[in-house]
Amino acid sequence: MQTIPHYINGSLVTDAERFGPVFNPATGEQDKQVALASADRVEEAIAAAKAALPAWRAASLAKRTNIFFRVREILNERKPVLAAILTSEHGKVLSDAEGEISRGLENIEFATGLSHMLKGERSEQVSSGVDVHSVRQPVGVVACITPFNFPAMVPLWMIGSALACGNTVLLKPSEKDPSSAVFIAEVFAEAGLPAGVLNVVQGDKEAVDTLLEHPDVKAVSFVGSTPIAQSIYKRAADHGKRVQALGGAKNHMVVLPDADLDMAADAAISAAYGSAGERCMAVSVLVAVGNIADDLVAAIKSRMATLKIGPGTDPASQMGPLITAEHREKVASYVAGAESEGATVVVDGRSQQFDSNGFFIGVSLVDHVKPGMKVYDDEIFGPVLSVVRVDSYSDAVRLVNDNEFGNGVAIFTRDGGAARQFEFDVEAGMVGVNVPIPVPVGTFSFGGWKNSLFGDTHMYGPDSIRFYTRGKVVTTRWPDPATSVIDLGFPQVD
Ligand code: NAD
């Protein structure tokens, strides 16, 4: 069986005392295992990152920039190879996998602008003969801990800017789909990144605990579920690290009565069921305002019947399997419990049969959902769309704002004034207007509000430069030029 290794100080390392299973979700077979790092292995990787730091932070911005340009070229060229790896371990369809890599590449493109992003400021003559300037310097060794659902894109969200700013990195990917992290680290090495600057430690809680407690790790970037994000935030902060921890989501899509019905129904299908609902920006609650509800539910239901679910490698598939058998059971339990909570199951994805042992489940639509029902309150992270019916715009905003999560939200309307008011009123980090999954482009930053983010800075884009650097302000005074041994012709006053 293939063992997925760590990548430490430029070498692949497969020895371990413990291994975790890696499944192909489309077949249900375990065809790989991943080495799970012990505390000692993580310490070895931290030592490599620490040793590589002085030379990397001294590398010229031009040298760093050239590496990012080269990474972009190689990753673009090998996109199909990496996409096939993603599909074989995560299950998403190949077009989604390629899309994920393209979005991740935006962060590498952003990093090529590092000499602009790292510019400081200067004030001349703040006092007689005194100038002040600021510089941004790396924080040191950075730990990046990532979830299973975007095994290439989320690592690229973090490592692009962390490395550009002159830090060295330990990437701890999800143990469920760990290969792409090693693939990406090898691409960086091929592009000229020195050994030890980017290391991958595979593992679970033991590896994460070591990263959070080790004094040589200075910053932690985390993306994952809310309970883990909250605990990572507290523990890393307790150990004196700066930390940003992005958590889970329950994204609402508000549809006003004047919305374009077909546009809203198409958006609901792709945003709720794309990537089997395993996206932190997936729409999981449709908020139907006023009299549009019946027509909207009917339009979504009719589209669901045509969705093709199958292996991600089949170009005809629009949705692949879930990540594990346990996760499929958990997703199914929400649909099973919905009727007894008082909701109406319009389409029950559990009834769809698949000719495979893969972790497939059909798509579900649950109507007349209300807060207080588990199907509404919990992040399901699967292909289940709940419909909440409300009477008015203000009821819709209250519902969204009362929800514990605030990652993304969308409004569908033809009314510019209503959309503008929504942008002003709504409590979420990312807002879409007739756009169901409003993931900011690489030149903005990504992050939610409330229990979707613990920390102050959002991820990638301009916020990442602040997170991965420390500001330093230098105040300078030189001896009086009139006393210089060089004749400056001083004073030069006209
Ligand atoms: P997860 O929280 O289970 O795991 C995330 C990472 O934490 C993994 O690397 C995992 O190994 C590690 N981990 C898990 N349990 C741990 C523990 N007890 N102690 C220390 N480390 C632990 O999340 P997941 O299931 O891999 O990913 C799905 C979740 O991530 C969803 O909740 C989704 O909404 C969220 N997510 C959020 C965003 C965002 O930008 N807000 C983006 C992608 C995914």
Side-chain angles (χ1 to χ4, degrees):
M1 186 182 300
Q2 187 191 338
T3 298
I4 298 152
H6 311 289
Y7 184 81
I8 299 174
N9 207 16
S11 300
L12 298 171
V13 179
T14 48
D15 320 337
E17 286 154 19
R18 295 187 303 127
F19 295 89
V22 178
F23 292 92
N24 180 334
T27 62
E29 279 163 23
Q30 184 199 336
D31 46 12
K32 300 177 197 165
Q33 63 177 5
V34 59
L36 299 176
S38 60
D40 288 349
R41 183 70 73 211
V42 177
E43 283 181 15
E44 181 194 324
I46 294 171
K50 190 180 177 190
L53 185 63
W56 179 242
R57 68 160 291 212
S60 72
L61 300 190
K63 179 178 174 189
R64 289 186 218 164
T65 304
N66 282 336
I67 291 173
F68 286 108
F69 274 114
R70 186 79 189 107
V71 166
R72 183 180 179 278
E73 275 170 38
I74 302 173
L75 272 179
N76 256 326
E77 211 174 87
R78 301 208 190 130
K79 201 184 280 181
V81 183
L82 181 54
I85 294 172
L86 297 186
T87 295
S88 71
E89 293 181 2
H90 175 283
K92 62 180 69 179
V93 299
L94 282 169
S95 55
D96 266 353
E98 292 215 3
E100 154 172 7
I101 301 164
S102 300
R103 290 311 304 261
L105 276 169
E106 285 179 19
N107 307 116
I108 300 301
E109 285 156 13
F110 180 77
T112 62
L114 64 95
S115 56
H116 169 67
M117 300 307 298
L118 289 172
K119 278 191 302 208
E121 293 174 322
R122 184 178 180 96
S123 291
E124 191 182 57
Q125 196 72 350
V126 292
S127 177
S128 294
V130 177
D131 305 328
V132 178
H133 74 273
S134 64
V135 287
R136 301 214 65 93
Q137 298 188 340
V139 287
V141 175
V142 173
C144 300
I145 304 163
T146 55
F148 81 82
N149 67 323
F150 285 107
M153 183 183 77
V154 174
L156 291 171
W157 280 2
M158 300 173 182
I159 62 181
S161 292
L163 295 173
C165 292
N167 302 285
T168 55
V169 169
L170 291 150
L171 169 62
K172 207 302 287 170
S174 169
E175 62 277 37
K176 295 182 181 126
D177 43 16
S179 293
S180 54
V182 178
F183 184 95
I184 290 169
E186 290 189 300
V187 166
F188 268 93
E190 192 179 331
L193 193 75
V197 175
L198 171 60
N199 305 277
V200 179
V201 281
Q202 307 288 2
D204 52 13
K205 187 172 182 315
E206 183 174 346
V208 173
D209 286 346
T210 313
L211 290 169
L212 297 183
E213 287 165 18
H214 201 288
D216 289 337
V217 173
K218 301 298 181 194
V220 176
S221 290
F222 173 89
V223 174
S225 57
T226 286
I228 308 292
Q230 190 161 23
S231 107
I232 299 263
Y233 180 73
K234 285 188 184 147
R235 287 164 59 213
D238 273 352
H239 285 87
K241 303 175 196 323
R242 63 171 66 177
V243 45
Q244 52 176 188
L246 276 61
K250 193 83 185 178
N251 304 313
H252 294 61
M253 171 173 151
V254 174
V255 184
L256 297 188
D258 70 333
D260 179 321
L261 188 78
D262 287 327
M263 188 182 186
D266 288 343
I269 291 282
S270 67
Y273 306 126
S275 206
E278 291 173 327
R279 289 179 181 142
C280 61
M281 290 293 274
V283 164
S284 52
V285 182
L286 191 93
V287 187
V289 180
N291 60 10
I292 199 165
D294 287 341
D295 289 345
L296 190 57
V297 168
I300 293 171
K301 185 180 174 191
S302 72
R303 284 163 170 78
M304 288 168 77
T306 64
L307 261 181
K308 171 106 175 59
I309 302 172
T313 47
D314 179 349
S317 300
Q318 292 165 287
M319 183 185 121
L322 290 173
I323 184 74
T324 58
E326 298 74 48
H327 188 51
R328 179 179 56 186
E329 295 323 305
K330 187 175 159 217
V331 170
S333 73
Y334 284 101
V335 184
E339 293 274 5
S340 64
E341 292 187 296
T344 311
V345 177
V346 180
V347 178
D348 187 341
R350 295 172 305 151
S351 58
Q352 188 168 348
Q353 298 299 311
F354 294 92
D355 188 18
S356 154
N357 292 326
F359 311 137
F360 291 99
I361 190 168
V363 289
S364 296
L365 181 63
V366 185
D367 198 358
H368 301 288
V369 170
K370 291 191 166 64
M373 297 177 179
K374 278 178 80 58
V375 71
Y376 178 81
D377 292 345
D378 292 0
E379 180 185 34
I380 300 174
F381 219 54
V384 179
L385 179 63
S386 296
V387 180
V388 179
R389 296 172 177 237
V390 297
D391 292 333
S392 65
Y393 166 85
S394 43
D395 289 343
V397 170
R398 199 170 308 117
L399 179 83
V400 175
N401 288 355
D402 284 348
N403 194 274
E404 67 161 308
F405 297 107
N407 212 37
V409 68
I411 188 164
F412 278 68
T413 179
R414 295 173 193 268
D415 185 328
R420 182 176 182 276
Q421 188 62 39
F422 185 73
E423 174 189 331
F424 184 82
D425 291 336
V426 79
E427 292 184 12
M430 296 168 282
V431 181
V433 176
N434 297 314
V435 172
I437 306 187
V439 175
V441 292
T443 45
F444 286 77
S445 297
F446 182 107
W449 288 13
K450 302 186 274 185
N451 281 350
S452 297
L453 172 80
F454 302 90
D456 308 308
T457 47
H458 288 193
M459 208 153 273
Y460 70 72
D463 268 19
S464 67
I465 304 296
R466 284 189 284 281
F467 184 75
Y468 294 123
T469 57
R470 293 183 286 187
K472 186 179 272 180
V473 179
V474 183
T475 305
T476 310
R477 184 202 298 276
W478 293 101
D480 184 345
T483 66
S484 174
V485 292
I486 304 162
D487 181 7
L488 299 176
F490 192 85
Q492 297 170 329
V493 180
D494 290 332

